Amino acid sequence: MPEMILTELHGKVALVRLNRPEALNALCDQLMEELGAALLALDADPAVAAIVLTGSEKAFAAGADIREMQPRRYPDVLFNDFIAKWETITRVKKPVIAAVAGYALGGGCELAMMCDIILAAENARFGQPEINLGVIPGAGGTQRLTRAVGKAKAMELILTGRMMDAQEAERANLVARVVPTEKLIEEALKLGERMAELSPVALAVAKQAVNAAFETTLTEGVRAERALFLPLFGAEDQKEGMAAFLEKRKPRFPTRA
């Protein structure tokens, strides 16, 4: 039975909450194992169209569990890559929205960046302070942050450990939108509900195509986009979506996740 995450279903949108308040949702092995299992189960559940991942109002996740990490030595982490289980979230085909309030630092910031969209509460704080611990980000922070905000700002944040607030994060293109803290979950669920009205096939393919832009050159990315676009004409969702547009009605997509 999961102990460190809570899962609720709001219509077709699953709300997954990190639940380790005494440690500001620090990301330990148990929490990440439970989170990965929950996300894969929700991804396979046809009743779920989108997933919202959140923490508490005080902390989305304040980082990795340093007490757990500190005793580890190189041979151990080399042969037992504990970070690998964190990447389960990147295998989820359905849209994943990070609803971030409070601290999203270190591994918490990296976890949010692994999601497809970040909504930030007004009290959100982002950063990669690993340099203060004598290490560097190890769950994609040097790569995803740089792709999101550019080299200059990523260098400053990573080399100094400085935090940035929600407004700066929005200006830097790290987050999609800043919303009032008390409306964060409501707005994230609304975003998920909007996606639940759409074709799950098109959503999954669109997610792959956008991710390809971060992982390839422009030429290769456009080629990948085309390879994803053309097969959609073999799906019933394309027929229904275009027919509904021409008939000026709301589409009823036959495919279910």
Side-chain angles (χ1 to χ4, degrees):
M1 186 75 177
E3 299 175 355
M4 294 188 177
I5 62 163
L6 302 173
T7 304
E8 307 167 9
L9 198 57
H10 295 256
K12 291 190 168 220
V13 183
L15 177 64
V16 178
R17 191 182 298 274
L18 307 181
N19 184 42
R20 203 182 172 209
E22 75 288 352
L24 295 178
N25 293 327
L27 305 177
C28 63
D29 287 349
Q30 181 182 341
L31 186 151
M32 296 311 292
E33 287 168 4
E34 290 183 9
L35 176 61
L39 290 172
L40 292 179
L42 293 169
D43 201 31
D45 187 344
V48 174
I51 300 167
V52 173
L53 177 62
T54 195
S56 66
E57 187 171 320
K58 190 172 184 180
F60 175 76
D65 189 324
I66 305 305
R67 191 176 300 278
E68 189 175 75
M69 290 175 65
Q70 193 275 336
R72 289 175 167 151
R73 295 295 178 261
Y74 179 62
D76 174 43
V77 298
L78 175 64
F79 293 107
N80 180 26
D81 182 359
F82 67 97
I83 293 293
K85 64 174 68 77
W86 294 32
E87 296 172 336
T88 301
I89 192 169
T90 64
R91 293 158 47 196
V92 175
K93 296 180 178 67
K94 294 172 183 175
V96 182
I97 302 157
V100 176
Y103 297 113
L105 304 177
C109 187
E110 290 171 309
L111 181 63
M113 291 190 291
M114 289 183 206
C115 297
D116 302 310
I117 298 171
I118 302 177
L119 283 189
E122 290 174 329
N123 75 334
R125 298 291 182 273
F126 298 88
Q128 299 289 161
E130 289 89 345
I131 202 76
N132 294 318
L133 304 174
V135 293
I136 67 170
T142 62
Q143 305 303 301
R144 291 189 176 92
L145 186 64
T146 304
R147 284 163 169 77
V149 307
K151 177 184 174 182
K153 189 171 286 290
M155 278 288 192
E156 184 208 359
L157 292 168
I158 291 169
L159 298 189
T160 68
R162 179 177 76 82
M163 287 188 287
M164 63 178 170
D165 62 21
Q167 291 71 29
E168 182 181 356
E170 184 180 31
R171 292 194 303 271
N173 294 321
L174 180 63
V175 308
R177 199 157 26 106
V178 178
V179 300
T181 302
E182 66 276 10
K183 291 186 175 294
L184 175 65
I185 301 303
E186 177 187 339
E187 291 297 323
L189 291 173
K190 279 184 186 176
L191 188 56
E193 288 160 4
R194 168 58 183 149
M195 294 175 185
E197 297 174 349
L198 304 171
S199 161
V201 173
L203 285 170
V205 169
K207 175 172 170 171
Q208 287 184 58
V210 173
N211 283 332
F214 285 85
E215 298 163 3
T216 62
T217 65
L218 176 59
T219 299
E220 291 168 336
V222 170
R223 189 178 297 122
E225 178 189 79
R226 194 69 42 78
L228 292 165
F229 169 74
L230 295 176
L232 289 173
F233 285 81
E236 289 302 314
D237 286 6
Q238 174 263 336
K239 305 294 184 292
E240 168 59 15
M242 293 188 178
F245 177 83
L246 294 172
E247 295 165 15
K248 296 181 171 54
R249 60 173 174 82
K250 187 174 180 178
R252 298 181 294 274
F253 292 111
T255 302
R256 289 293 170 261

